[in-house]
Amino acid sequence: MSFDVSNLYSATAEVFVAIMILAIMLATAFARDIARGLAYVLTQLTLIVATFITFFTLEATSDFAFSNMFVRDPPGGILKLMVYLSMMVALLYGRGYLADRKLDRPEYYLLALLTTLGMMVMITANHLLILYVGLEMMSLALYALVAFDRDTARSTEAGMKYFVLGALASGLLLYGMSMIYGATGGSLELSAVHQAVASKGVDKTVLLFGLVFLVAGISFKLGVAPFHMWVPDVYQGSPTAVTLILSSAPKLAAFALALRLLASALPELAGHWQSMLLFVAAMSIVLGNLAALIQHNIKRMLAYSGISHMGFMLMGLLSGGEASAAATGYSSAMFYAISYALMTLAAFGMVVLLSREGFEAENIEDFKGLNRRNPWFALLMLFVMFSMAGIPFFVGFFAKFSVLQAVIQAGHFWIAVLAVTMSLIGAFYYLRVVKFMYFDEPVDNTPLNASGELQVMLSLNGVAIALLGLMPGTLLKWCEGAMRAAFVVGG
């Protein structure tokens, strides 16, 4: 690989975040008395500056660097911006929760930034090994975060389970990459893999076996059936502040992983991987909704709900083979991933809001009578539940509508019917939470004692879900424009 200083311009945000991780590590080591507050402030500052860097270096076309191992394109830019936003909101929501449980240590914020850096590398990688390095950087930091409350058996058990199954999924993904590498004559760069497959001079059998392993690894990282077994246990076992992170930004990075490996590197095999994703999406929508119906723990309910939502997101990747149709499907999938991140942040933010020192608001019954305790936050939770259920006019409705349009145009009418049917069934467990909030007597009359910044951000989060539902056009156009730039102009 030839190195050119100009390459650093394309990777300015990644280099800045990496430097700030080292700076925060040193600063908190020498300022132990104020380490907790300092780490939080510097982490948020890092994410804000990275947002500005990414925004002002965003280009309308694809730009390659580091011998084509790194790509800066519109889809990657939008996904990185949403990752920063998700991490900033998740860290803000979780700060008071961590402080109440004596978990707000500098290491937490360093691990959060390492997770962010791993996601940034995944999103901008144009090389199989770089993708894997970013994935492992994100995953290893997440394993530590899940087990961060090391004095609690439930947290350490969740961390161990996530680590073992995550290592298995990473092995599957790496094995698939090695088979792709062998089948394409030693190609690691994604564009070179694409060209090798398009030339037809490859071992089709080995290539398809590698594709199966790739789809399995991607499915695990997205937490979709039949690779979902870790999701409910890890969501429930993690501290809620960690579940906030786990349920939002990594989903955006996993979507980028699917986009790079399948849509960018292997579009010639779209018929094969779309058939696999069709089965995975259908299974996820059915299992996620049916399993969520019987949950009493809201973190487990939202985990199974998330499996269903990721099934919907995968439906967007099932568009036709033509570039324009593919761009429409991919843009609907991106819009869905972003919408889900906003909804799940607000949902788990409400769980944090109701929790306090010595009490975890993890049961659905803990939301009983919330309207009498605080009508405003009950209304916000109603926005979130209605949006997740796909009820007009919230952002979740338009996310589902855009995906359904894409799959119907692609000719997959049966899965659209299945998705609508399961959404109607799944509306029950969302409306059950609303029923508890508005029609049941409160089981706890303790005043909501959350910080002002949490209440303000949660209010903005809930209002954004409603406003994006009323005016989804701008975000939809951004997503569609980005995908057209990457998959029509760029081919």
Side-chain angles (χ1 to χ4, degrees), residues 299-360:
K299 290 170 75 173
R300 292 185 73 87
M301 186 200 86
L302 291 172
Y304 281 111
S305 164
I307 294 170
S308 172
H309 283 290
M310 289 299 100
F312 259 97
M313 190 273 292
L314 285 179
M315 287 168 57
L317 297 176
L318 306 177
S319 54
E322 294 183 3
S324 58
T328 301
Y330 300 156
S331 63
S332 68
M334 177 188 271
F335 180 71
Y336 201 102
I338 293 171
S339 301
Y340 174 73
L342 292 174
M343 293 186 293
T344 195
L345 281 169
F348 283 108
M350 287 299 302
V351 176
V352 169
L353 180 74
L354 294 181
S355 301
R356 59 183 182 275
E357 187 175 359
F359 174 72
E360 300 285 341

Side-chain angles (χ1 to χ4, degrees), residues 348-397:
F348 283 108
M350 287 299 302
V351 176
V352 169
L353 180 74
L354 294 181
S355 301
R356 59 183 182 275
E357 187 175 359
F359 174 72
E360 300 285 341
E362 292 190 358
N363 293 319
I364 298 175
E365 287 77 8
D366 293 327
F367 284 81
K368 285 184 175 180
L370 180 60
N371 184 53
R372 299 188 183 183
R373 296 173 63 190
N374 193 306
W376 172 244
F377 287 110
L379 179 64
L380 293 180
M381 190 61 172
L382 180 143
F383 288 174
V384 177
M385 294 294 100
F386 276 16
S387 184
M388 284 190 162
I391 295 175
F393 288 90
F394 295 94
V395 68
F397 166 77

Side-chain angles (χ1 to χ4, degrees), residues 192-425:
V193 170
H194 178 195
Q195 293 170 4
V197 176
S199 69
K200 310 295 184 183
V202 296
D203 188 326
K204 194 71 174 291
T205 303
V206 176
L207 195 65
L208 291 179
F209 268 108
L211 181 63
V212 171
F213 286 106
L214 288 185
V215 172
I218 292 168
S219 298
F220 179 91
K221 296 305 176 183
L222 284 170
V224 291
F227 305 95
H228 66 284
M229 68 291 291
W230 63 274
V231 178
D233 291 340
V234 172
Y235 275 38
Q236 182 182 5
S238 305
T240 306
V242 175
T243 311
L244 270 163
I245 295 175
L246 195 62
S247 64
S248 54
K251 303 297 185 186
L252 298 169
F255 168 72
L257 177 69
L259 199 66
R260 299 296 186 203
L261 286 177
L262 302 180
S264 295
L266 301 170
E268 302 296 329
L269 300 180
H272 296 284
W273 55 258
Q274 285 176 355
S275 298
M276 299 179 207
L277 293 184
L278 189 66
F279 168 76
V280 169
M283 192 172 177
S284 301
I285 291 169
V286 172
L287 185 144
N289 281 302
L290 293 181
L293 287 172
I294 59 174
Q295 302 303 317
H296 298 284
N297 183 290
I298 195 162
K299 290 170 75 173
R300 292 185 73 87
M301 186 200 86
L302 291 172
Y304 281 111
S305 164
I307 294 170
S308 172
H309 283 290
M310 289 299 100
F312 259 97
M313 190 273 292
L314 285 179
M315 287 168 57
L317 297 176
L318 306 177
S319 54
E322 294 183 3
S324 58
T328 301
Y330 300 156
S331 63
S332 68
M334 177 188 271
F335 180 71
Y336 201 102
I338 293 171
S339 301
Y340 174 73
L342 292 174
M343 293 186 293
T344 195
L345 281 169
F348 283 108
M350 287 299 302
V351 176
V352 169
L353 180 74
L354 294 181
S355 301
R356 59 183 182 275
E357 187 175 359
F359 174 72
E360 300 285 341
E362 292 190 358
N363 293 319
I364 298 175
E365 287 77 8
D366 293 327
F367 284 81
K368 285 184 175 180
L370 180 60
N371 184 53
R372 299 188 183 183
R373 296 173 63 190
N374 193 306
W376 172 244
F377 287 110
L379 179 64
L380 293 180
M381 190 61 172
L382 180 143
F383 288 174
V384 177
M385 294 294 100
F386 276 16
S387 184
M388 284 190 162
I391 295 175
F393 288 90
F394 295 94
V395 68
F397 166 77
F398 286 100
K400 289 186 176 181
F401 183 73
S402 64
V403 164
L404 290 171
Q405 273 189 318
V407 295
I408 290 173
Q409 289 174 6
H412 303 295
F413 185 75
W414 70 268
I415 196 173
V417 173
L418 176 68
V420 171
T421 304
M422 295 312 302
S423 293
L424 292 173
I425 294 173

Side-chain angles (χ1 to χ4, degrees), residues 143-163:
Y143 301 151
L145 282 173
V146 169
F148 198 73
D149 189 4
R150 58 179 180 268
D151 295 327
T152 304
R154 190 175 69 168
S155 180
T156 52
E157 179 187 348
M160 183 58 68
K161 182 175 293 187
Y162 190 30
F163 171 73

